[in-house]
mmCIF file of all heavy atoms in Angstrom:
data_model
loop_
_atom_site.group_PDB
_atom_site.id
_atom_site.type_symbol
_atom_site.label_atom_id
_atom_site.label_comp_id
_atom_site.label_asym_id
_atom_site.label_seq_id
_atom_site.Cartn_x
_atom_site.Cartn_y
_atom_site.Cartn_z
ATOM 1 N N SER D 334 168.447 91.747 11.143
ATOM 2 C CA SER D 334 169.443 91.291 10.186
ATOM 3 C C SER D 334 170.003 92.454 9.406
ATOM 4 O O SER D 334 169.321 93.439 9.139
ATOM 5 C CB SER D 334 168.827 90.270 9.226
ATOM 6 O OG SER D 334 169.774 89.928 8.226
ATOM 7 N N SER D 335 171.242 92.331 9.014
ATOM 8 C CA SER D 335 171.855 93.355 8.184
ATOM 9 C C SER D 335 171.867 92.931 6.725
ATOM 10 O O SER D 335 172.582 93.488 5.918
ATOM 11 C CB SER D 335 173.292 93.617 8.661
ATOM 12 O OG SER D 335 174.043 92.420 8.620
ATOM 13 N N GLY D 336 171.067 91.929 6.394
ATOM 14 C CA GLY D 336 171.014 91.458 5.014
ATOM 15 C C GLY D 336 171.949 90.294 4.819
ATOM 16 O O GLY D 336 172.282 89.587 5.747
ATOM 17 N N CYS D 337 172.379 90.069 3.559
ATOM 18 C CA CYS D 337 173.274 88.947 3.265
ATOM 19 C C CYS D 337 174.529 89.066 4.119
ATOM 20 O O CYS D 337 175.138 90.128 4.229
ATOM 21 C CB CYS D 337 173.653 88.954 1.792
ATOM 22 S SG CYS D 337 172.273 88.574 0.696
ATOM 23 N N GLY D 338 174.902 87.964 4.724
ATOM 24 C CA GLY D 338 176.073 87.961 5.579
ATOM 25 C C GLY D 338 175.783 88.413 6.994
ATOM 26 O O GLY D 338 176.671 88.413 7.830
ATOM 27 N N PHE D 420 159.511 84.350 7.395
ATOM 28 C CA PHE D 420 160.680 85.137 7.020
ATOM 29 C C PHE D 420 161.018 85.040 5.553
ATOM 30 O O PHE D 420 160.605 84.130 4.849
ATOM 31 C CB PHE D 420 161.894 84.671 7.832
ATOM 32 C CG PHE D 420 161.618 84.610 9.299
ATOM 33 C CD1 PHE D 420 161.418 83.408 9.926
ATOM 34 C CD2 PHE D 420 161.532 85.775 10.050
ATOM 35 C CE1 PHE D 420 161.137 83.352 11.275
ATOM 36 C CE2 PHE D 420 161.250 85.734 11.387
ATOM 37 C CZ PHE D 420 161.050 84.518 12.013
ATOM 38 N N ASN D 421 161.831 85.991 5.096
ATOM 39 C CA ASN D 421 162.377 85.938 3.755
ATOM 40 C C ASN D 421 163.635 85.093 3.694
ATOM 41 O O ASN D 421 164.082 84.705 2.626
ATOM 42 C CB ASN D 421 162.709 87.354 3.261
ATOM 43 C CG ASN D 421 161.454 88.190 3.112
ATOM 44 O OD1 ASN D 421 160.433 87.689 2.675
ATOM 45 N ND2 ASN D 421 161.542 89.460 3.491
ATOM 46 N N CYS D 422 164.244 84.849 4.837
ATOM 47 C CA CYS D 422 165.419 83.992 4.861
ATOM 48 C C CYS D 422 165.003 82.606 4.391
ATOM 49 O O CYS D 422 163.971 82.090 4.797
ATOM 50 C CB CYS D 422 166.013 83.888 6.268
ATOM 51 S SG CYS D 422 167.236 85.158 6.633
ATOM 52 N N GLY D 423 165.821 81.984 3.570
ATOM 53 C CA GLY D 423 165.493 80.663 3.046
ATOM 54 C C GLY D 423 165.790 79.563 4.031
ATOM 55 O O GLY D 423 166.343 79.783 5.108
ATOM 56 N N CYS D 559 172.761 84.497 8.615
ATOM 57 C CA CYS D 559 171.742 84.606 7.573
ATOM 58 C C CYS D 559 172.403 84.574 6.201
ATOM 59 O O CYS D 559 173.229 85.422 5.893
ATOM 60 C CB CYS D 559 170.953 85.895 7.751
ATOM 61 S SG CYS D 559 169.500 86.001 6.710
ATOM 62 N N VAL D 560 172.018 83.602 5.375
ATOM 63 C CA VAL D 560 172.650 83.444 4.065
ATOM 64 C C VAL D 560 171.796 84.024 2.945
ATOM 65 O O VAL D 560 172.112 83.893 1.781
ATOM 66 C CB VAL D 560 172.935 81.955 3.765
ATOM 67 C CG1 VAL D 560 173.917 81.407 4.770
ATOM 68 C CG2 VAL D 560 171.640 81.145 3.775
ATOM 69 N N SER D 561 170.672 84.659 3.301
ATOM 70 C CA SER D 561 169.860 85.321 2.290
ATOM 71 C C SER D 561 169.316 86.616 2.874
ATOM 72 O O SER D 561 169.256 86.782 4.088
ATOM 73 C CB SER D 561 168.710 84.425 1.830
ATOM 74 O OG SER D 561 167.872 84.098 2.915
ATOM 75 N N ARG D 562 168.896 87.536 2.031
ATOM 76 C CA ARG D 562 168.488 88.856 2.490
ATOM 77 C C ARG D 562 167.179 88.786 3.272
ATOM 78 O O ARG D 562 166.264 88.062 2.918
ATOM 79 C CB ARG D 562 168.329 89.800 1.304
ATOM 80 C CG ARG D 562 168.060 91.237 1.721
ATOM 81 C CD ARG D 562 168.128 92.151 0.521
ATOM 82 N NE ARG D 562 169.433 92.103 -0.104
ATOM 83 C CZ ARG D 562 170.490 92.778 0.347
ATOM 84 N NH1 ARG D 562 170.374 93.527 1.429
ATOM 85 N NH2 ARG D 562 171.635 92.696 -0.266
ATOM 86 N N THR D 563 167.084 89.529 4.360
ATOM 87 C CA THR D 563 165.861 89.595 5.141
ATOM 88 C C THR D 563 165.478 91.051 5.367
ATOM 89 O O THR D 563 166.256 91.968 5.114
ATOM 90 C CB THR D 563 166.040 88.937 6.528
ATOM 91 O OG1 THR D 563 166.890 89.761 7.313
ATOM 92 C CG2 THR D 563 166.608 87.542 6.417
ATOM 93 N N SER D 564 164.285 91.248 5.864
ATOM 94 C CA SER D 564 163.883 92.577 6.287
ATOM 95 C C SER D 564 164.744 93.009 7.462
ATOM 96 O O SER D 564 165.255 92.178 8.216
ATOM 97 C CB SER D 564 162.403 92.582 6.686
ATOM 98 O OG SER D 564 161.588 92.128 5.629
#
Side-chain angles (χ1 to χ4, degrees):
S334 175
S335 58
C337 292
F420 309 104
N421 295 321
C422 271
C559 190
V560 297
S561 60
R562 187 171 300 279
T563 70
S564 303

